[in-house]
Short mmCIF file of all heavy atoms in Angstrom, two decimals:
data_model
loop_
_atom_site.label_atom_id
_atom_site.label_comp_id
_atom_site.label_asym_id
_atom_site.label_seq_id
_atom_site.Cartn_x
_atom_site.Cartn_y
_atom_site.Cartn_z
N GLY A 267 28.08 -4.40 6.83
CA GLY A 267 27.55 -3.26 7.55
C GLY A 267 26.96 -2.21 6.63
O GLY A 267 25.89 -1.64 6.92
N LEU A 268 27.61 -1.94 5.50
CA LEU A 268 27.08 -0.98 4.54
C LEU A 268 25.78 -1.49 3.92
O LEU A 268 24.87 -0.70 3.64
CB LEU A 268 28.11 -0.69 3.45
CG LEU A 268 29.39 0.03 3.91
CD1 LEU A 268 30.36 0.20 2.73
CD2 LEU A 268 29.04 1.39 4.51
N LEU A 269 25.71 -2.80 3.71
CA LEU A 269 24.47 -3.38 3.19
C LEU A 269 23.33 -3.19 4.19
O LEU A 269 22.20 -2.84 3.80
CB LEU A 269 24.67 -4.86 2.87
CG LEU A 269 23.45 -5.62 2.36
CD1 LEU A 269 22.96 -5.00 1.04
CD2 LEU A 269 23.76 -7.09 2.16
N ASN A 270 23.62 -3.41 5.47
CA ASN A 270 22.59 -3.17 6.49
C ASN A 270 22.17 -1.71 6.52
O ASN A 270 20.98 -1.40 6.72
CB ASN A 270 23.12 -3.60 7.86
CG ASN A 270 23.32 -5.10 7.96
OD1 ASN A 270 22.67 -5.86 7.25
ND2 ASN A 270 24.23 -5.52 8.82
N LEU A 271 23.13 -0.80 6.34
CA LEU A 271 22.80 0.62 6.29
C LEU A 271 21.88 0.93 5.12
O LEU A 271 20.89 1.66 5.27
CB LEU A 271 24.09 1.44 6.19
CG LEU A 271 23.91 2.95 5.97
CD1 LEU A 271 23.17 3.58 7.15
CD2 LEU A 271 25.26 3.62 5.75
N CYS A 272 22.18 0.36 3.95
CA CYS A 272 21.33 0.59 2.78
C CYS A 272 19.93 0.05 3.01
O CYS A 272 18.94 0.70 2.62
CB CYS A 272 21.97 -0.06 1.55
SG CYS A 272 23.52 0.71 1.02
N LEU A 273 19.84 -1.09 3.66
CA LEU A 273 18.52 -1.65 3.94
C LEU A 273 17.74 -0.78 4.91
O LEU A 273 16.53 -0.55 4.74
CB LEU A 273 18.67 -3.07 4.49
CG LEU A 273 19.19 -4.13 3.52
CD1 LEU A 273 19.38 -5.46 4.23
CD2 LEU A 273 18.24 -4.29 2.34
N LEU A 274 18.43 -0.27 5.94
CA LEU A 274 17.75 0.62 6.88
C LEU A 274 17.29 1.91 6.21
O LEU A 274 16.18 2.39 6.46
CB LEU A 274 18.69 0.94 8.05
CG LEU A 274 18.92 -0.19 9.07
CD1 LEU A 274 19.97 0.23 10.09
CD2 LEU A 274 17.62 -0.56 9.76
N LEU A 275 18.15 2.50 5.38
CA LEU A 275 17.75 3.70 4.66
C LEU A 275 16.58 3.44 3.74
O LEU A 275 15.67 4.27 3.60
CB LEU A 275 18.95 4.25 3.87
CG LEU A 275 20.12 4.81 4.69
CD1 LEU A 275 21.24 5.23 3.77
CD2 LEU A 275 19.67 5.97 5.56
N LEU A 276 16.58 2.26 3.11
CA LEU A 276 15.47 1.90 2.22
C LEU A 276 14.17 1.76 3.01
O LEU A 276 13.12 2.24 2.59
CB LEU A 276 15.79 0.60 1.49
CG LEU A 276 14.75 0.09 0.49
CD1 LEU A 276 14.60 1.09 -0.66
CD2 LEU A 276 15.16 -1.27 -0.06
N VAL A 277 14.25 1.12 4.18
CA VAL A 277 13.06 0.96 5.01
C VAL A 277 12.55 2.31 5.51
O VAL A 277 11.35 2.60 5.47
CB VAL A 277 13.37 0.02 6.19
CG1 VAL A 277 12.23 0.02 7.20
CG2 VAL A 277 13.63 -1.40 5.70
N LEU A 278 13.46 3.17 5.95
CA LEU A 278 13.05 4.47 6.45
C LEU A 278 12.46 5.34 5.34
O LEU A 278 11.45 6.04 5.56
CB LEU A 278 14.25 5.18 7.08
CG LEU A 278 14.79 4.56 8.38
CD1 LEU A 278 16.04 5.29 8.84
CD2 LEU A 278 13.73 4.60 9.46
N ALA A 279 13.07 5.31 4.15
CA ALA A 279 12.55 6.11 3.05
C ALA A 279 11.16 5.65 2.64
O ALA A 279 10.25 6.47 2.43
CB ALA A 279 13.51 6.04 1.86
N ASN A 280 10.96 4.32 2.57
CA ASN A 280 9.64 3.82 2.19
C ASN A 280 8.63 4.00 3.32
O ASN A 280 7.43 4.17 3.05
CB ASN A 280 9.74 2.34 1.80
CG ASN A 280 10.35 2.15 0.42
OD1 ASN A 280 9.69 2.28 -0.60
ND2 ASN A 280 11.63 1.85 0.39
N ALA A 281 9.10 3.96 4.57
CA ALA A 281 8.18 4.24 5.68
C ALA A 281 7.67 5.67 5.62
O ALA A 281 6.49 5.95 5.89
CB ALA A 281 8.89 3.97 7.01
N ARG A 282 8.55 6.59 5.27
CA ARG A 282 8.11 7.98 5.11
C ARG A 282 7.10 8.12 3.99
O ARG A 282 6.09 8.82 4.12
CB ARG A 282 9.32 8.88 4.82
CG ARG A 282 9.00 10.37 4.82
CD ARG A 282 10.06 11.16 4.14
NE ARG A 282 10.14 10.87 2.72
CZ ARG A 282 9.34 11.41 1.80
NH1 ARG A 282 8.39 12.24 2.16
NH2 ARG A 282 9.48 11.09 0.54
N LEU A 283 7.34 7.41 2.87
CA LEU A 283 6.38 7.46 1.76
C LEU A 283 5.04 6.87 2.17
O LEU A 283 3.98 7.38 1.78
CB LEU A 283 6.96 6.72 0.55
CG LEU A 283 8.18 7.36 -0.13
CD1 LEU A 283 8.69 6.46 -1.25
CD2 LEU A 283 7.83 8.74 -0.67
N CYS A 284 5.08 5.79 2.95
CA CYS A 284 3.82 5.17 3.40
C CYS A 284 3.06 6.11 4.32
O CYS A 284 1.83 6.26 4.20
CB CYS A 284 4.12 3.85 4.11
SG CYS A 284 4.75 2.54 3.04
N MET A 285 3.76 6.77 5.24
CA MET A 285 3.10 7.72 6.14
C MET A 285 2.53 8.90 5.36
O MET A 285 1.42 9.38 5.63
CB MET A 285 4.08 8.21 7.20
CG MET A 285 4.52 7.12 8.18
SD MET A 285 5.69 7.74 9.42
CE MET A 285 4.64 8.93 10.26
N GLU A 286 3.29 9.39 4.37
CA GLU A 286 2.80 10.48 3.54
C GLU A 286 1.54 10.06 2.77
O GLU A 286 0.59 10.84 2.64
CB GLU A 286 3.89 10.91 2.58
CG GLU A 286 3.48 12.05 1.64
CD GLU A 286 4.57 12.38 0.64
OE1 GLU A 286 5.65 11.75 0.69
OE2 GLU A 286 4.33 13.25 -0.22
N ASN A 287 1.55 8.84 2.29
CA ASN A 287 0.38 8.33 1.56
C ASN A 287 -0.84 8.23 2.46
O ASN A 287 -1.95 8.61 2.08
CB ASN A 287 0.73 6.97 0.95
CG ASN A 287 -0.41 6.37 0.15
OD1 ASN A 287 -1.31 5.75 0.71
ND2 ASN A 287 -0.39 6.55 -1.16
N LEU A 288 -0.64 7.71 3.68
CA LEU A 288 -1.76 7.57 4.60
C LEU A 288 -2.30 8.93 5.05
O LEU A 288 -3.52 9.12 5.18
CB LEU A 288 -1.33 6.75 5.82
CG LEU A 288 -1.06 5.26 5.58
CD1 LEU A 288 -0.48 4.62 6.82
CD2 LEU A 288 -2.34 4.56 5.15
N ILE A 289 -1.40 9.88 5.28
CA ILE A 289 -1.85 11.21 5.69
C ILE A 289 -2.62 11.90 4.57
O ILE A 289 -3.62 12.59 4.81
CB ILE A 289 -0.63 12.05 6.13
CG1 ILE A 289 -0.01 11.46 7.40
CG2 ILE A 289 -1.03 13.50 6.36
CD1 ILE A 289 1.29 12.12 7.81
N LYS A 290 -2.18 11.69 3.34
CA LYS A 290 -2.78 12.40 2.21
C LYS A 290 -4.08 11.77 1.76
O LYS A 290 -5.05 12.46 1.43
CB LYS A 290 -1.78 12.44 1.05
CG LYS A 290 -2.22 13.29 -0.14
CD LYS A 290 -1.13 13.36 -1.18
CE LYS A 290 -1.56 14.23 -2.37
NZ LYS A 290 -0.48 14.32 -3.39
N TYR A 291 -4.15 10.42 1.73
CA TYR A 291 -5.31 9.74 1.15
C TYR A 291 -6.14 8.97 2.18
O TYR A 291 -7.27 8.56 1.86
CB TYR A 291 -4.87 8.76 0.05
CG TYR A 291 -4.09 9.41 -1.06
CD1 TYR A 291 -2.73 9.19 -1.19
CD2 TYR A 291 -4.72 10.25 -1.98
CE1 TYR A 291 -2.00 9.77 -2.22
CE2 TYR A 291 -3.99 10.84 -3.01
CZ TYR A 291 -2.64 10.59 -3.11
OH TYR A 291 -1.93 11.20 -4.13
N GLY A 292 -5.59 8.73 3.36
CA GLY A 292 -6.30 7.88 4.30
C GLY A 292 -6.15 6.42 3.92
O GLY A 292 -5.34 6.05 3.07
N VAL A 293 -6.93 5.56 4.53
CA VAL A 293 -6.88 4.12 4.25
C VAL A 293 -7.79 3.83 3.06
O VAL A 293 -9.01 4.01 3.13
CB VAL A 293 -7.30 3.30 5.47
CG1 VAL A 293 -7.27 1.81 5.15
CG2 VAL A 293 -6.39 3.60 6.66
N LEU A 294 -7.19 3.37 1.96
CA LEU A 294 -7.95 3.06 0.74
C LEU A 294 -8.15 1.57 0.54
O LEU A 294 -8.85 1.17 -0.40
CB LEU A 294 -7.21 3.63 -0.48
CG LEU A 294 -6.98 5.16 -0.48
CD1 LEU A 294 -6.19 5.55 -1.71
CD2 LEU A 294 -8.30 5.90 -0.42
N ILE A 295 -7.55 0.74 1.37
CA ILE A 295 -7.65 -0.71 1.21
C ILE A 295 -9.08 -1.16 1.51
O ILE A 295 -9.63 -0.85 2.57
CB ILE A 295 -6.65 -1.43 2.13
CG1 ILE A 295 -5.22 -0.99 1.80
CG2 ILE A 295 -6.79 -2.94 2.01
CD1 ILE A 295 -4.17 -1.55 2.73
N ASN A 296 -9.66 -1.91 0.59
CA ASN A 296 -11.05 -2.35 0.73
C ASN A 296 -11.16 -3.79 0.24
O ASN A 296 -11.42 -4.03 -0.95
CB ASN A 296 -11.98 -1.43 -0.07
CG ASN A 296 -13.44 -1.75 0.18
OD1 ASN A 296 -13.78 -2.60 1.01
ND2 ASN A 296 -14.32 -1.07 -0.54
N PRO A 297 -10.96 -4.78 1.12
CA PRO A 297 -11.06 -6.19 0.68
C PRO A 297 -12.46 -6.55 0.18
O PRO A 297 -12.60 -7.42 -0.68
CB PRO A 297 -10.71 -6.98 1.94
CG PRO A 297 -10.00 -6.01 2.83
CD PRO A 297 -10.59 -4.68 2.53
N VAL A 298 -13.51 -5.91 0.71
CA VAL A 298 -14.87 -6.22 0.27
C VAL A 298 -15.03 -5.90 -1.21
O VAL A 298 -15.71 -6.62 -1.95
CB VAL A 298 -15.89 -5.43 1.12
CG1 VAL A 298 -17.30 -5.70 0.64
CG2 VAL A 298 -15.73 -5.79 2.59
N TYR A 299 -14.39 -4.84 -1.66
CA TYR A 299 -14.48 -4.47 -3.07
C TYR A 299 -13.89 -5.56 -3.96
O TYR A 299 -14.42 -5.86 -5.04
CB TYR A 299 -13.73 -3.15 -3.29
CG TYR A 299 -13.70 -2.68 -4.73
CD1 TYR A 299 -14.76 -1.99 -5.28
CD2 TYR A 299 -12.59 -2.93 -5.52
CE1 TYR A 299 -14.73 -1.55 -6.59
CE2 TYR A 299 -12.54 -2.51 -6.83
CZ TYR A 299 -13.62 -1.82 -7.36
OH TYR A 299 -13.58 -1.40 -8.67
N ILE A 300 -12.79 -6.17 -3.50
CA ILE A 300 -12.17 -7.24 -4.28
C ILE A 300 -13.09 -8.45 -4.37
O ILE A 300 -13.28 -9.04 -5.44
CB ILE A 300 -10.82 -7.64 -3.66
CG1 ILE A 300 -9.93 -6.41 -3.49
CG2 ILE A 300 -10.13 -8.68 -4.50
CD1 ILE A 300 -9.59 -5.71 -4.76
N VAL A 301 -13.67 -8.84 -3.24
CA VAL A 301 -14.57 -9.99 -3.23
C VAL A 301 -15.79 -9.74 -4.11
O VAL A 301 -16.23 -10.62 -4.86
CB VAL A 301 -14.98 -10.33 -1.78
CG1 VAL A 301 -15.99 -11.46 -1.76
CG2 VAL A 301 -13.76 -10.68 -0.94
N GLN A 302 -16.35 -8.55 -4.02
CA GLN A 302 -17.51 -8.22 -4.86
C GLN A 302 -17.17 -8.27 -6.34
O GLN A 302 -17.96 -8.75 -7.15
CB GLN A 302 -18.04 -6.84 -4.48
CG GLN A 302 -18.70 -6.79 -3.12
CD GLN A 302 -19.15 -5.38 -2.76
OE1 GLN A 302 -18.78 -4.42 -3.42
NE2 GLN A 302 -19.91 -5.27 -1.68
N ASN A 303 -15.99 -7.79 -6.71
CA ASN A 303 -15.60 -7.82 -8.11
C ASN A 303 -15.26 -9.22 -8.59
O ASN A 303 -15.38 -9.51 -9.77
CB ASN A 303 -14.40 -6.89 -8.33
CG ASN A 303 -14.82 -5.45 -8.56
OD1 ASN A 303 -15.11 -5.05 -9.68
ND2 ASN A 303 -14.90 -4.68 -7.49
N CYS A 304 -14.82 -10.07 -7.65
CA CYS A 304 -14.50 -11.45 -8.05
C CYS A 304 -15.75 -12.29 -8.26
O CYS A 304 -15.88 -12.99 -9.27
CB CYS A 304 -13.61 -12.11 -6.99
SG CYS A 304 -11.93 -11.49 -6.93
N PHE A 305 -16.68 -12.23 -7.31
CA PHE A 305 -17.80 -13.16 -7.32
C PHE A 305 -19.17 -12.48 -7.47
O PHE A 305 -20.13 -13.12 -7.88
CB PHE A 305 -17.80 -13.99 -6.03
CG PHE A 305 -16.50 -14.69 -5.77
CD1 PHE A 305 -15.61 -14.21 -4.82
CD2 PHE A 305 -16.17 -15.82 -6.50
CE1 PHE A 305 -14.41 -14.85 -4.58
CE2 PHE A 305 -14.97 -16.47 -6.26
CZ PHE A 305 -14.09 -15.99 -5.31
N GLY A 306 -19.26 -11.22 -7.10
CA GLY A 306 -20.56 -10.57 -7.15
C GLY A 306 -20.82 -9.78 -8.40
O GLY A 306 -21.94 -9.31 -8.62
N ASN A 307 -19.81 -9.64 -9.25
CA ASN A 307 -19.98 -8.85 -10.47
C ASN A 307 -20.27 -9.79 -11.63
O ASN A 307 -19.44 -10.63 -12.01
CB ASN A 307 -18.72 -8.04 -10.74
CG ASN A 307 -18.92 -7.02 -11.84
OD1 ASN A 307 -19.95 -7.00 -12.50
ND2 ASN A 307 -17.92 -6.16 -12.04
N LEU A 308 -21.44 -9.65 -12.23
CA LEU A 308 -21.81 -10.51 -13.36
C LEU A 308 -20.94 -10.24 -14.58
O LEU A 308 -20.88 -11.07 -15.49
CB LEU A 308 -23.29 -10.28 -13.72
CG LEU A 308 -24.30 -10.71 -12.65
CD1 LEU A 308 -25.71 -10.38 -13.13
CD2 LEU A 308 -24.18 -12.18 -12.33
N ASN A 309 -20.25 -9.10 -14.58
CA ASN A 309 -19.38 -8.78 -15.71
C ASN A 309 -18.18 -9.71 -15.79
O ASN A 309 -17.52 -9.77 -16.83
CB ASN A 309 -18.91 -7.33 -15.58
CG ASN A 309 -18.28 -6.82 -16.85
OD1 ASN A 309 -18.72 -7.18 -17.94
ND2 ASN A 309 -17.28 -5.98 -16.73
N ASN A 310 -17.87 -10.44 -14.72
CA ASN A 310 -16.72 -11.34 -14.71
C ASN A 310 -17.07 -12.76 -15.13
O ASN A 310 -16.16 -13.58 -15.30
CB ASN A 310 -16.08 -11.37 -13.32
CG ASN A 310 -15.44 -10.06 -12.95
OD1 ASN A 310 -14.90 -9.37 -13.80
ND2 ASN A 310 -15.51 -9.69 -11.68
#
């Protein structure tokens, strides 16, 4: 039971950090950027 409590606290704490990150920076995930850097960038 204590282990489950620790897991719940960990999930809640990280959920708060994720919400804070989204509120502060917005959505920064850009899969197109990854594909372009993998195959579209001659530097690679």
Side-chain angles (χ1 to χ4, degrees):
L268 294 178
L269 178 61
N270 292 335
L271 173 62
C272 293
L273 292 176
L274 286 175
L275 293 177
L276 182 64
V277 171
L278 292 176
N280 284 279
R282 187 197 67 81
L283 292 176
C284 292
M285 293 180 64
E286 179 184 358
N287 181 277
L288 290 173
I289 294 173
K290 186 175 181 179
Y291 302 108
V293 179
L294 301 177
I295 300 175
N296 187 5
V298 178
Y299 178 82
I300 306 299
V301 176
Q302 290 177 349
N303 275 273
C304 288
F305 306 103
N307 191 353
L308 295 178
N309 193 35
N310 292 326

